[in-house]
Amino acid sequence: MELLIKNGRIVDWSQDFYGDVYINDGVICEIGKNLNKNCKIIDAKGSTVLPSFIDLHVHFRDPGLTYKEDIESGSLAAAKGGYTMVNLMANTNPVCSNMDTVDYVLEKAKKIGVVDVHQVVSITNNFDGKDISHLDKLKPYVRVISEDGKDVMDSKVMIAAMVKAKESGRIVMCHCEEHSLTGIDTRMSENVMTWRNLALAQFTECKVHMSHVSTKESMEYIIEAKKKGVKVTCEVAPHHIALTDNDYRVNPPIRGKEDVEFLIKAIQDGWADAISTDHAPHSVEDKKNGSPGISGIETAFALCYTKLVKEGHITLNKLSEIMSKNTARIMGVEKGQIKIGYDGDLAIVDIDKEYEISHEAFVSKGKNTPFSGMKVYGDVIKTIKGGKVVFSKN
Ligand code: DOR
Ligand code: ZN
């Protein structure tokens, strides 16, 4: 399949120019000006063409909790948000602890065919906090293990898991939370566990990725660890940048102004590798009963563009770097850059028009957002995966 995108403002981490992109057989084949091809053409005049986004932290709730989200509704929501690849967390029902569940998810996602999916496996079997024997049975295409939401409280178990992850070249993704402290102080609970997980990563030399870093201290520990050569990457969630002192229920909670300023500084200085949504769809009922989380994959780009780029903290190049280039690097895929030979995965966006976020317009089953009614810039018009349009506004 061929596709020619013409007359757009082409932006990725390293370039910003007006021109055309030609995709053939799923791959970017030519980039330039005044390209002419006898194939389907999209006129991107007045729009910005970015590499589509990759989300390292997503909950699609399939299997088992599909009343909140399923792979189809989640895939459509992701594409609407400009994403073409998602990394799905293991807190499904059953917990994703074996290849049967991994393959169920991957096959279903492939059949739907809207976004590429990577499925994470739990660090301990069924989140029991102890047994890691299932890690020996994983196929090589499982690249990430995580106990998201839970974390592993027993340091000896975490060390053993990190040793196995290192041996098999996998990344341990850490939701840093010391649960015995959460009821006392969520900030201390995050900080203590960030420090511990970094110490264990330094000891085992395992690659770790820190999820949704929300406090200044946690980011400081990560920066220190990076300076020492610990193999750590980290992500920041859009809601931890766009909100302060707000009690909308999400884990980790929304923090204060000083934290947000420090996270933004960490992005500017190149310490924060990625923006990930922690897309956590819930039903109205579950949310009323206190389930933490934000349905965030449809609003991530607009929030980040508005809060980070429009407000002058970073360039659009930098935003592309943390939403696409770095996230692709962490997942080990040839995406996230507008470069010959890379996957033809693009997001065409309107960055000039202001619009209002409405939860009613979400295609995700989860309408849980604190951002409904907020005015933002950065509207995704089309999402293209491998030269195929997987989302179009009109
Ligand atoms: O707010 C959250 N919701 N944080 C998590 O870590 C888990 C997530 C969920 O699964 O709902
Ligand atoms: Zn989490």
Side-chain angles (χ1 to χ4, degrees):
M1 198 191 314
E2 295 169 86
L3 179 68
L4 178 61
I5 297 154
K6 282 192 76 68
N7 309 314
R9 178 182 166 202
I10 315 287
V11 180
D12 72 0
W13 71 282
S14 68
Q15 48 192 346
D16 188 341
F17 70 96
Y18 287 88
D20 312 335
V21 182
Y22 171 65
I23 300 165
N24 192 3
D25 232 359
V27 173
I28 297 172
C29 288
E30 279 181 58
I31 304 163
K33 285 178 200 285
N34 305 317
L35 299 184
N36 280 309
K37 302 281 169 190
N38 189 13
C39 69
K40 182 178 157 83
I41 292 172
I42 292 175
D43 184 7
K45 195 163 192 278
S47 309
T48 303
V49 181
L50 293 160
S52 55
F53 318 124
I54 295 169
D55 198 341
L56 300 175
H57 195 147
V58 177
H59 301 268
F60 277 178
R61 316 290 194 202
D62 198 346
L65 298 160
T66 52
Y67 68 97
K68 293 177 194 262
E69 191 81 291
D70 59 40
I71 295 167
E72 184 169 14
S73 61
S75 296
L76 294 170
K80 182 160 168 264
Y83 287 86
T84 54
M85 184 175 190
V86 291
N87 188 39
L88 298 183
M89 294 302 119
N91 62 342
T92 48
N93 187 13
V95 174
C96 187
S97 300
N98 58 54
M99 289 314 299
D100 282 350
T101 312
V102 171
D103 288 337
Y104 157 80
V105 171
L106 297 187
E107 276 159 32
K108 195 166 168 189
K110 203 167 175 195
K111 228 179 255 166
I112 292 161
V114 173
V115 294
D116 289 339
V117 166
H118 176 270
Q119 177 63 52
V120 172
V121 166
S122 62
I123 298 174
T124 68
N125 192 19
N126 204 25
F127 287 161
D128 74 357
K130 299 183 196 103
D131 175 15
I132 59 165
S133 58
H134 66 299
L135 297 180
D136 294 327
K137 297 174 201 135
L138 302 183
K139 299 251 173 77
Y141 51 87
V142 175
R143 295 195 287 262
V144 182
I145 56 171
S146 174
E147 207 91 329
D148 184 63
K150 297 247 171 232
D151 210 347
V152 178
M153 293 305 104
D154 187 324
S155 301
K156 205 168 146 199
V157 174
M158 191 58 146
I159 283 198
M162 284 188 182
V163 168
K164 277 191 194 298
K166 195 198 169 200
E167 281 165 6
S168 50
R170 294 198 171 93
I171 297 170
V172 175
M173 197 167 159
C174 302
H175 166 117
C176 300
E177 180 175 354
E178 162 53 85
H179 286 276
S180 68
L181 296 177
T182 304
I184 301 171
D185 182 41
T186 64
R187 182 174 196 96
M188 181 165 53
S189 146
E190 177 177 339
N191 295 347
V192 164
M193 231 20 166
T194 303
W195 192 90
R196 186 210 67 171
N197 286 334
L198 289 167
L200 302 190
Q202 182 173 22
F203 182 76
T204 59
E205 296 180 352
C206 164
K207 265 192 203 167
V208 292
H209 176 80
M210 300 304 187
S211 291
H212 41 51
V213 181
S214 74
T215 67
K216 179 173 187 250
E217 300 81 54
S218 289
M219 189 55 88
E220 281 172 339
Y221 297 152
I222 292 166
I223 294 170
E224 246 171 69
K226 283 189 175 223
K227 285 181 181 165
K228 280 189 275 187
V230 178
K231 293 179 192 129
V232 55
T233 52
C234 69
E235 69 189 30
V236 174
H239 47 269
H240 289 132
I241 290 168
L243 294 176
T244 52
D245 303 309
N246 183 302
D247 59 7
Y248 194 87
R249 212 147 171 236
V250 61
N251 273 345
I254 302 304
R255 305 294 186 186
K257 190 164 168 273
E258 243 193 76
D259 296 296
V260 173
E261 282 169 4
F262 196 81
L263 295 178
I264 293 175
K265 178 100 177 51
I267 292 171
Q268 289 169 333
D269 295 345
W271 298 115
D273 300 274
I275 294 284
S276 310
T277 66
D278 194 5
H279 175 70
H282 290 292
S283 68
V284 174
E285 187 73 17
D286 289 349
K287 203 64 200 157
K288 247 188 230 149
N289 292 330
S291 294
I294 292 172
S295 179
I297 208 160
E298 291 171 68
T299 54
F301 176 71
L303 289 174
C304 292
Y305 180 73
T306 306
K307 288 284 164 188
L308 292 172
V309 181
K310 196 85 180 161
E311 288 186 10
H313 301 294
I314 62 170
T315 62
L316 186 54
N317 298 109
K318 182 71 187 176
L319 184 60
S320 178
E321 183 180 328
I322 58 179
M323 291 188 77
S324 302
K325 178 186 176 242
N326 290 354
T327 46
R329 188 196 70 220
I330 291 166
M331 289 312 296
V333 291
E334 295 278 283
K335 294 182 190 286
Q337 304 184 49
I338 301 184
K339 227 182 184 176
I340 289 171
Y342 276 63
D343 288 357
D345 288 17
L346 304 169
I348 303 180
V349 300
D350 178 348
I351 54 172
D352 297 320
K353 196 186 73 192
E354 193 182 32
Y355 70 99
E356 196 176 296
I357 293 174
S358 163
H359 65 280
E360 283 165 18
F362 283 7
V363 299
S364 165
K365 289 185 190 176
K367 314 294 178 197
N368 46 309
T369 177
F371 297 110
S372 215
M374 185 170 160
K375 293 223 166 87
V376 287
Y377 293 87
D379 199 13
V380 178
I381 306 167
K382 274 186 175 44
T383 306
I384 292 155
K385 186 172 99 67
K388 191 177 137 208
V389 177
V390 289
F391 166 75
S392 183
K393 233 186 144 179
N394 305 304

